[in-house]
Amino acid sequence: MGGWVEGDPVGDRLFLDLPAVPLERGGELADVRAAYETWGTLAADGGNAVLVEHALTGDSHVVGPAGPGHPTAGWGERLVGPGRPLDTDRWFVVCANVLGGCQGTTGPGTLGPDGARWGSRFPEVTVGDQVRVEVALADALGIDRWACVVGGSMGGMRALEWAVALPQRVGSLFFLASGAAASGDQIGTQTTQQAAIRVDPRWRGGDYDRSDPPSDGLGVARRIAHLTYRSALEFDARFGSHVQEDGRFAVASYLDHHADKLAGRFDAGSYVVLTEAMNSWDVGRGRGGVEAALARVTARAVVAGIDSDRLYPPALQQRVAAALGVPLRLIPSPYGHDGFLVETAAVGALLGELLTG
Ligand SMILES: CC(=O)SCCNC(=O)CCNC(=O)[C@H](O)C(C)(C)COP(=O)(O)OP(=O)(O)OC[C@H]1O[C@@H](n2cnc3c(N)ncnc32)[C@H](O)[C@@H]1OP(=O)(O)O
Ligand SMILES: N[C@@H](CCO)C(=O)O
């Protein structure tokens, strides 16, 4: 599956259609479709369900090799699947494309009730709204309580929201390379990425014509983002100031590669909507603050971070770990924030502590 186009082959995706979803910021979103996938068999007592929450540009396809339409590199090949740390022969694994996304679930690139694309009309959704759709999915699947909710980065926000908003429905929590509330640094880089998209001449509030070539603005946004997803150590050691035969700095060529890859498979409108949901993320909002909110969590928890993560530094996970009364588990990695996707052996070992506990 190549670039993102309405009606891409749905492959092994399933769909839940909801007549309306109330939104935290008022009103409701009509005719919401959630794309999801499941692996394994739900036990008769429903006790083996695990929810995996994908990150910003991921999707529901968290098992299986990464590929043009399935970017979940690492997790899909080494972490989730038969006989893997998240063993789909034992666990019933569910992964849904996030509300506001572009891989099957309702978002700015999908058609609204009037038959036209939502585009810039798509409302600002919050992490709470995104979890509300997942609660409806859990109800539809007959899952009253997750044995474990797993999430890294943007996925960690939904995982934490589940554990705070519905503590009785979360048996254990794996919170990875994420934070309890958006930081100024994250908002700064994410609003800059959004600005790059908005200056693209084809951007007309998300209504740009998808028959156009992929959005350059989204490509620039991805370059900016990818600089935060890796570590300076890696860039210096791996690329340095090397200039390739084509005359490009190797590091610029690498960033061009990731820009082109994302622009070919992701929707710029979704990118804006999802980064805005992350900008507004604060688990403590309306709950008396972060620590008061985290006091509601009853799930067994593993809180982990990547030691070289400069987007979600370990101090952010330390705050959550301290509030939950668990040690911070630090994963050494040269890959920065993306270490949560790449260091699957270390991530799998920590996840295993929850799944065998
Ligand atoms: C449950 C969940 O949260 S799922 C998360 C969902 N999100 C995702 O899966 C994210 C999508 N993918 C990504 O973010 C990234 O691709 C990652 C993190 C998976 C990649 O991590 P890594 O394996 O370290 O790959 P890396 O960043 O080194 O990129 C390798 C690619 O760069 C290319 N490359 C390397 N150097 C250069 C260069 N100088 N010029 C051009 N291309 C280059 C490689 O050829 C390779 O190409 P490929 O993408 O066709 O394989
Ligand atoms: N690089 C990953 C993680 C971002 O947090 C992605 O694109 O989803």
Side-chain angles (χ1 to χ4, degrees):
M1 184 164 75
W4 184 88
V5 176
E6 183 86 30
D8 268 353
V10 295
D12 33 20
R13 279 177 192 161
L14 302 167
F15 296 99
L16 172 72
D17 289 326
L18 301 169
V21 174
L23 299 177
E24 264 187 82
R25 294 185 163 167
E28 63 179 26
L29 192 58
D31 296 341
V32 172
R33 164 164 283 195
Y36 68 99
E37 296 180 47
T38 70
W39 296 268
T41 305
L42 185 61
D45 66 358
N48 69 332
V50 176
L51 176 64
V52 177
E53 299 280 38
H54 71 70
L56 174 58
T57 72
D59 61 20
S60 60
H61 199 72
V62 77
V63 176
H70 295 311
T72 313
W75 284 40
E77 297 147 319
R78 298 185 294 272
L79 191 67
V80 190
R84 295 175 183 163
L86 181 44
D87 187 351
T88 49
D89 288 338
R90 175 184 174 192
W91 301 98
F92 179 65
V93 177
V94 179
C95 187
N97 182 214
V98 69
L99 178 68
C102 58
Q103 290 118 333
T105 291
T106 298
T110 59
L111 302 183
D114 61 0
R117 274 202 180 84
W118 277 107
S120 56
R121 298 176 301 152
F122 192 82
E124 285 191 11
V125 295
T126 66
V127 171
D129 296 327
Q130 294 168 335
V131 166
R132 195 168 298 111
V133 170
E134 295 170 359
V135 171
L137 175 61
D139 293 345
L141 293 174
I143 297 168
D144 298 329
R145 188 172 189 265
W146 296 102
C148 188
V149 177
V150 181
S153 193
M154 184 181 84
M157 300 170 196
R158 296 198 305 286
L160 196 61
E161 176 67 15
W162 261 102
V164 168
L166 295 162
Q168 72 285 4
R169 298 192 66 170
V170 179
S172 65
L173 166 67
F174 189 57
F175 179 79
L176 173 62
S178 189
S183 70
D185 179 51
Q186 291 153 11
I187 295 168
T189 187
Q190 284 157 183
T191 49
T192 303
Q193 295 161 34
Q194 293 168 353
I197 289 170
R198 291 195 173 102
V199 297
D200 183 330
R202 287 166 301 183
W203 173 261
R204 292 178 291 283
D207 299 322
Y208 65 89
D209 180 350
R210 279 165 185 71
S211 62
D212 283 349
S215 155
D216 294 332
L218 180 55
V220 173
R222 186 61 162 183
R223 289 179 182 84
I224 295 166
H226 208 66
L227 286 168
T228 71
Y229 296 157
R230 314 299 287 212
S231 72
L233 177 71
E234 180 192 11
F235 282 126
D236 295 345
R238 188 171 172 188
F239 303 109
S241 58
H242 174 66
V243 176
Q244 300 178 160
E245 288 181 8
D246 63 7
R248 285 185 292 173
F249 285 110
V251 66
S253 172
Y254 166 79
L255 293 171
D256 289 346
H257 171 77
H258 278 294
D260 295 344
K261 252 183 116 172
L262 187 73
R265 70 173 177 85
F266 208 80
D267 177 67
S270 280
Y271 196 94
V272 171
V273 163
L274 296 181
T275 49
E276 197 53 35
M278 291 198 282
N279 286 340
S280 69
W281 165 241
D282 178 352
V283 76
R285 182 176 293 114
R287 295 174 172 139
V290 166
E291 277 65 26
L294 295 178
R296 295 163 47 101
V297 175
T298 55
R300 289 185 302 118
V302 166
V303 176
I306 308 297
D307 64 354
S308 59
D309 190 333
R310 56 183 171 174
L311 181 61
Y312 291 88
L316 300 184
Q317 296 94 46
Q318 178 55 54
R319 181 180 187 185
V320 174
L324 298 184
V326 297
L328 169 61
R329 318 297 292 275
L330 213 47
I331 299 172
S333 172
Y335 299 113
H337 178 61
D338 269 354
F340 89 94
L341 289 171
V342 179
E343 304 291 0
T344 48
V347 171
L350 291 174
L351 182 56
E353 291 182 20
L354 284 177
L355 297 178
T356 52

